[in-house]
Amino acid sequence: MGRFSIPLLGFLVLCCLALVSEATTYAKYKDSKQPLSARIKNLMNQMTLEEKIGQMVQIERNVATADVVNKYFIGSVLSGGGSVPAPKASPETWVNMVNEIQKGSLSTRLAIPMLYGIDAVHGHNNVYNATIFPHNVGLGVTRQKIGEATALEVRATGIPYAFAPCIAVCRDPRWGRCYESYSEDHKIVQAMTEIIPGLQGDLPANSKKGVPFVDGKKKVVACAKHYLGDGGTTKGINENNTVINLNGLLSIHMPAYYNAISKGVASVMVSYSSWNGKKMHANHELVTGFLKNKLKFRGFVISDWEGIDRITSPPHANYSYSVEAGVGAGIDMIMVPNNYKEFIDDLTYQVKKNIIPMSRIDDAVKRILRVKFVMGLFENPLADYSLVNQLGSQEHRELAKEAVRKSLVLLKNGKYADKPLLPLAKKATKILVAGSHADNLGYQCGGWTITWQGLGGNDLTTGTTILNAVKNTVDSSTQVVYNENPDVNFVKSNKFTYAIVVVGEPTYAETFGDSLNLTISEPGPSTINNVCGAVKCVVVVISGRPVVIQPYLAKIDALVAAWLPGTEGQGVADVLFGDYGFTGKLARTWFKTVDQLPMNVGDAHYDPLFPFGFGLTTKPTKN
């Protein structure tokens, strides 16, 4: 035995050194002191094809379990619109759910944490009791920064990734997503990309252009969407075709992406729409050639929900082609969101057969890992309860109220300029509040609130309706009478001092909101006619876009565009009654008739009812 001892000892030493070396190599990517590129390289060198493809997959919460993310090495999970762990779930319940799934990721061989994403498009809008800010159509009026508060409320529920902001330039209000757009003017949309540092944190001074940045546990990964031309489709038809030359595409729809990338946006979502007949989800020239190569974007590109499926018509008709075209175009993370096994199998097959080169997979994984490392997800993969009190906090509601006040646009004030109706007197004998939207929190919030399409009524979440805000604001001696749809006799016989009529659109999201007529919901027009024909009235329009108002304008004494103000209806009353003045200006052209559309500022045929930039002002009063 003795003559074997020295070689055996040497062999054991070598084994130990190899194990130590392997352990050291293995741990390098977990060391936050290492340079970013070294961490990415070290981790990718250890990853199998299966592990790499898993990083590219985003699945829906309802198919995600700790076992699924563990078995398939899933890189990301999302909540679609209205996808919640339980009705009216508390932030603690959300944190527990996200952590439970995360534990599946952390128990894989390399323990790469998954990234949980959610649509937080006007505040943390899927979550009960969250502050619901005005939709973007109103914020484009205010140039208001809401990002920081949204980031805190999203993190309060354990989620580090928000699919916001939408930097679409809506060129036709017939589009059902027009309320997700800040303006028809790309310059306003560019200014509103300031929400990105609110969500992600301020980019450090020495940052390289295009490199993503997320400043720790109180910030979230943002997502500029939908790339590119989503707001320019023919007749505003959702997911349709944007017919425009390259110069038009780059000068109208692209500029806000320059700003987003220079502010370190960590992800970009591709649009369902096409550009001159070519699906954006299959557009290699614009996704890889322009966004990644020319603009030097170094974050990851994500598909929209079943976005690659919709490359074909009908969707999912040739899924292997969709996988090849979508991944080949340069999409890094695929929002599958349900049939993940089919996606994984198809992509694995295509890589093994050299249909999709390994370099394309490595590019995708490198980008996803870069964001996960930059945001500190490896150091802090599990959420805690430390931010739960941020959800729906009073401070955030005050901010939302301020945003509402600044978003309101006064379009008419009195039938004669020298006799304004607004601000309204708080002290009056008896006033009427009428209209389908006066006491309806759901209508105030619009789509993408608690559910995907939004909900009518007052029990969807917590907030203040305009009716309650009026009651809170008027003098205690003023009698407030609420009648949703009064007839003329009721109005005439009651001798009201004045009336507030609140009407508008129903809730909707995406294609369900596409409209060729843009009318106020019934019985809104008859409520306007019955009330405004009999008593001095201010009409407040709750809508996601300009709507047909010209036929009623002569009867109306004062007209206010309130857009979709969210949960803080008090902001509307604050300005109606003069505690604050009207300051908002239209970030969208208000048309006379729909047959003028599309009609945007600068067009040769520009003949609006109220032009872009219009807005009467009032001064605050003490009354």
Side-chain angles (χ1 to χ4, degrees):
M1 287 292 290
R3 62 198 173 105
F4 295 110
S5 59
I6 293 172
L8 185 62
L9 189 64
F11 175 73
L12 288 172
V13 167
L14 284 171
C15 284
C16 288
L17 284 170
L19 285 169
V20 169
S21 161
E22 190 186 347
T24 312
T25 316
Y26 179 72
K28 192 173 186 181
Y29 71 89
K30 293 185 178 178
D31 180 2
S32 61
K33 295 184 185 70
Q34 292 287 334
L36 178 61
S37 56
R39 297 181 79 185
I40 295 169
K41 188 176 179 184
N42 175 258
L43 178 51
M44 286 186 66
N45 283 344
Q46 299 178 58
M47 292 173 76
T48 62
L49 175 62
E50 196 180 4
E51 287 165 331
K52 286 177 178 178
I53 286 174
Q55 283 302 302
M56 298 171 67
V57 180
Q58 186 179 65
I59 64 174
E60 222 288 329
R61 180 198 63 82
N62 60 19
V63 295
T65 62
D67 288 343
V68 166
V69 298
N70 179 278
K71 182 177 179 183
Y72 296 95
F73 309 103
I74 300 296
S76 185
V77 177
L78 86 150
S79 276
S83 178
V84 299
K88 300 189 177 181
S90 68
E92 290 87 351
T93 302
W94 279 93
V95 168
N96 294 345
M97 176 205 56
V98 175
N99 284 349
E100 195 53 43
I101 298 169
Q102 186 68 284
K103 285 170 188 168
S105 297
L106 298 179
S107 59
T108 56
R109 183 177 73 94
L110 296 169
I112 304 171
M114 68 84 193
L115 179 63
Y116 199 106
I118 196 163
D119 282 283
V121 297
H122 60 140
H124 197 10
N125 48 258
N126 278 292
V127 176
Y128 181 76
N129 203 32
T131 309
I132 306 296
F133 290 93
H135 265 298
N136 290 354
V137 66
L139 294 184
V141 176
T142 64
R143 288 60 160 183
Q144 178 88 29
K145 295 171 203 150
I146 305 297
E148 290 179 21
T150 302
L152 283 168
E153 297 209 12
V154 172
R155 280 287 196 172
T157 56
I159 296 172
Y161 181 18
F163 304 131
C166 176
I167 54 173
V169 182
C170 173
R171 303 289 285 174
D172 193 323
R174 292 174 292 188
W175 185 35
R177 304 194 80 155
C178 205
Y179 66 75
E180 296 184 57
S181 166
Y182 295 112
S183 178
E184 71 195 42
D185 178 7
H186 68 83
K187 289 190 286 296
I188 289 179
V189 180
Q190 286 180 274
M192 291 304 299
T193 59
E194 268 305 297
I195 199 166
I196 292 168
L199 291 163
Q200 295 192 157
D202 287 311
L203 205 58
N206 58 349
S207 295
K208 274 169 65 179
K209 182 174 183 284
V211 176
F213 177 73
V214 185
D215 192 12
K217 288 199 289 185
K218 292 185 178 178
K219 298 295 180 182
V220 294
V221 171
C223 181
K225 65 184 190 181
H226 309 84
Y227 185 84
L228 180 69
D230 50 348
T233 60
T234 304
K235 294 186 180 176
I237 298 168
N238 192 41
E239 305 183 16
N240 208 258
N241 191 21
T242 296
V243 180
I244 195 170
N245 63 23
L246 179 62
N247 184 48
L249 187 77
L250 297 185
S251 62
I252 294 171
H253 299 285
M254 186 69 82
Y257 285 91
Y258 303 148
N259 298 76
I261 290 164
S262 71
K263 290 179 167 101
V265 75
S267 68
V268 170
M269 186 183 292
V270 182
S271 178
Y272 286 128
S273 58
S274 303
W275 174 46
N276 295 337
K278 185 169 180 66
K279 293 273 188 181
M280 278 306 309
H281 274 76
N283 196 318
H284 181 271
E285 180 191 2
L286 283 174
V287 175
T288 297
F290 203 92
L291 180 65
K292 289 184 170 182
N293 296 345
K294 186 161 188 179
L295 299 187
K296 302 282 188 279
F297 172 62
R298 293 289 174 264
F300 65 84
V301 177
I302 185 170
S303 84
D304 207 332
W305 177 281
E306 294 180 351
I308 64 166
D309 305 52
R310 298 185 202 183
I311 289 171
T312 59
S313 187
H316 209 86
N318 183 348
Y319 195 61
S320 62
Y321 168 74
S322 286
V323 171
E324 182 185 345
V327 175
I331 301 172
D332 305 310
M333 185 181 282
I334 311 295
M335 193 183 292
V336 177
N338 296 312
N339 59 316
Y340 55 90
K341 291 179 193 170
E342 182 185 11
F343 173 79
I344 290 168
D345 289 348
D346 280 4
L347 184 55
T348 305
Y349 174 84
Q350 290 178 22
V351 175
K352 285 182 174 171
K353 294 290 181 187
N354 292 319
I355 297 165
I356 289 177
M358 195 64 205
S359 58
R360 174 73 274 272
I361 302 301
D362 285 343
D363 172 60
V365 177
K366 183 184 292 184
R367 289 166 177 276
I368 292 162
L369 293 179
R370 181 180 289 129
V371 172
K372 289 183 177 184
F373 280 126
V374 160
M375 67 186 289
L377 194 62
F378 280 79
E379 289 70 45
N380 296 294
L382 295 170
D384 57 36
Y385 299 157
S386 61
L387 294 174
V388 294
N389 292 336
Q390 295 287 344
L391 191 81
S393 72
Q394 195 53 42
E395 187 184 346
H396 295 167
R397 292 186 186 275
E398 291 299 327
L399 178 64
K401 218 180 292 180
E402 180 193 349
V404 173
R405 294 192 292 256
K406 290 179 175 175
S407 73
L408 304 175
V409 183
L410 181 57
L411 299 173
K412 182 178 180 180
N413 191 12
K415 288 180 178 166
Y416 306 101
D418 59 341
K419 290 187 179 171
L421 178 59
L422 300 175
L424 298 168
K426 290 182 184 175
K427 199 162 190 171
T429 312
K430 185 162 59 168
I431 65 172
L432 172 65
V433 179
S436 50
H437 290 54
D439 189 30
N440 198 305
L441 194 62
Y443 286 174
Q444 253 172 242
C445 291
W448 286 112
T449 308
I450 304 302
T451 66
W452 175 38
Q453 292 296 319
L455 296 162
N458 289 335
D459 58 358
L460 71 164
T461 192
T462 51
T464 306
T465 67
I466 293 170
L467 173 64
N468 284 335
V470 169
K471 289 177 175 175
N472 295 343
T473 307
V474 296
D475 189 86
S476 57
S477 65
T478 302
Q479 186 187 348
V480 179
V481 176
Y482 170 60
N483 187 326
E484 190 175 324
N485 187 26
D487 59 32
V488 178
N489 291 335
F490 176 86
V491 181
K492 284 182 173 169
S493 62
N494 264 285
K495 295 189 170 56
F496 294 109
T497 312
Y498 57 79
I500 301 168
V501 178
V502 192
V503 292
E505 293 191 294
T507 65
Y508 55 80
E510 301 193 41
T511 308
F512 293 91
D514 285 358
S515 168
L516 294 176
N517 57 27
L518 295 179
T519 50
I520 288 169
S521 312
E522 291 294 344
S526 60
T527 309
I528 293 173
N529 287 326
N530 291 351
V531 176
C532 298
V535 65
K536 276 191 295 188
C537 77
V538 52
V539 172
V540 178
V541 179
I542 304 289
S543 66
R545 52 200 163 187
V547 289
V548 175
I549 200 76
Q550 192 183 28
Y552 325 112
L553 195 56
K555 273 189 178 175
I556 294 169
D557 293 277
L559 177 64
V560 176
W563 313 111
L564 297 169
T567 50
E568 304 315 302
Q570 187 61 47
V572 177
D574 285 349
V575 184
L576 287 179
F577 290 96
D579 290 336
Y580 294 81
F582 279 93
T583 57
K585 306 290 180 192
L586 286 179
R588 301 210 58 80
T589 297
W590 204 292
F591 58 86
K592 290 175 180 172
T593 62
V594 287
D595 54 21
Q596 294 178 298
L597 300 174
M599 177 177 65
N600 294 287
V601 63
D603 287 353
H605 70 291
Y606 198 66
D607 180 28
L609 184 62
F610 302 107
F612 175 89
F614 179 79
L616 303 171
T617 57
T618 60
K619 294 219 168 0
T621 58
K622 298 276 181 240
N623 67 28

